[in-house]
Amino acid sequence: MIKSMTGFGRCEVQKDSRKFTVELKSVNHRYLDVNIRMPKKLNFFETAIRTLLKSYANRGKVDIFITYEDLSQTQVSVKYNAALAAEYLKYLRQMEEEFGLENDVRISTLSRYPEVFTMEEQSEDEEELWNGLKEALEGAFTQFVQTRQTEGGNLKKDILSKLDILMEQIGFIEERSPQIVAGYRAKLEDKMKELLADTQIEESRIAAEVILFADKICTDEEVVRLKSHIRHMRDTLEEKDEIGRKLDFIAQEMNREANTILSKANDIDVSDRAIRLKTEIEKIREQIQNIE
């Protein structure tokens, strides 16, 4: 299914005392550009997160935000350094003897000395940590893909409607072209009759002039190629694989044919339709920039 590069996903998972929240959003980008913001404790999993995302997205600028909470009260413990406390006390007593001072050190005072008590974070089970994080990631990534597919469906409908408009303009140009040639022939005959008065007009000369004019304004080849590109784009929109770059190339070729038609236009109505062609093609190209 066609996917937009614009999407959003969110998932919150609580495994035992661990709570993981994953949010991500994306916009269009030429390649897959991933930015991850997460607690330092989870930095070890960055490569795994990027690898997992690649199975859900191929292109786009993706921002991922991860939060982690340990709801247990055992993640941090207090460590008592008895040897260091004894060392402090030994030197305090030495100072008491050397300087004849009263040793007024209490337990509460000694406990505040550097490194006597330290906070130590408990080690985490990496496998359990990854299992919880992966579940949250997969939930968010799945929602992310769904929003991209929904937006992609809307883009597809819009592009198809614009292709219908292109076909309407092409139909008018095809119908109008013979009328332009016939009108030119009629004007040419009237002009020659006016200039030559009663002198007989050579049909071959008129025919030659008309042929030259018709060849100059002929857009048959451009119209045929443009219709072929439109059919190709319709078929491509039905493909399941990554199609954004392919559609962009087709749109460039469509624009090239529309430019040629406009340059050959010798009629105000055809010029107007050619400009409409270019306008709609440009709108299509803008939409394609959002397709993965």
Side-chain angles (χ1 to χ4, degrees), residues 78-97:
V78 177
K79 184 179 180 181
Y80 167 52
N81 193 330
L84 184 61
E87 192 82 2
Y88 278 127
L89 191 57
K90 182 183 76 171
Y91 284 110
L92 288 171
R93 286 172 176 168
Q94 182 178 333
M95 291 171 66
E96 176 187 4
E97 293 176 1

Side-chain angles (χ1 to χ4, degrees), residues 184 188 192 204-214:
Y184 177 76
L188 184 61
M192 293 184 72
S204 60
R205 291 188 60 187
I206 294 177
E209 289 292 330
V210 172
I211 290 172
L212 288 173
F213 176 77

Side-chain angles (χ1 to χ4, degrees), residues 152-185:
N154 294 332
L155 289 174
K156 178 181 177 180
K157 290 179 183 178
D158 186 69
I159 292 173
L160 288 173
S161 68
K162 286 177 169 52
L163 292 178
D164 290 337
I165 295 174
L166 292 184
M167 289 301 297
E168 291 176 9
Q169 311 310 315
I170 291 171
F172 177 88
I173 292 172
E174 287 182 306
E175 184 179 344
R176 179 64 181 155
S177 294
Q179 298 173 6
I180 296 172
V181 175
Y184 177 76
R185 181 186 180 96

Side-chain angles (χ1 to χ4, degrees), residues 180-245:
I180 296 172
V181 175
Y184 177 76
R185 181 186 180 96
K187 289 180 180 178
L188 184 61
E189 288 178 345
D190 292 342
K191 190 67 175 178
M192 293 184 72
K193 286 179 181 178
E194 180 182 337
L195 293 173
L196 300 176
D198 296 331
T199 305
Q200 188 175 2
I201 304 171
E202 293 184 18
E203 179 65 26
S204 60
R205 291 188 60 187
I206 294 177
E209 289 292 330
V210 172
I211 290 172
L212 288 173
F213 176 77
D215 185 63
K216 182 180 178 181
I217 69 166
C218 181
T219 57
D220 290 350
E221 292 184 9
E222 289 76 17
V223 165
V224 169
R225 285 195 292 267
L226 185 52
K227 290 167 73 173
S228 175
H229 293 324
I230 291 174
R231 287 194 299 270
H232 191 190
M233 183 169 286
R234 289 183 186 276
D235 293 339
T236 302
L237 286 169
E238 300 301 325
E239 296 179 5
K240 295 182 180 180
D241 297 330
E242 185 180 339
I243 61 174
R245 292 186 178 92

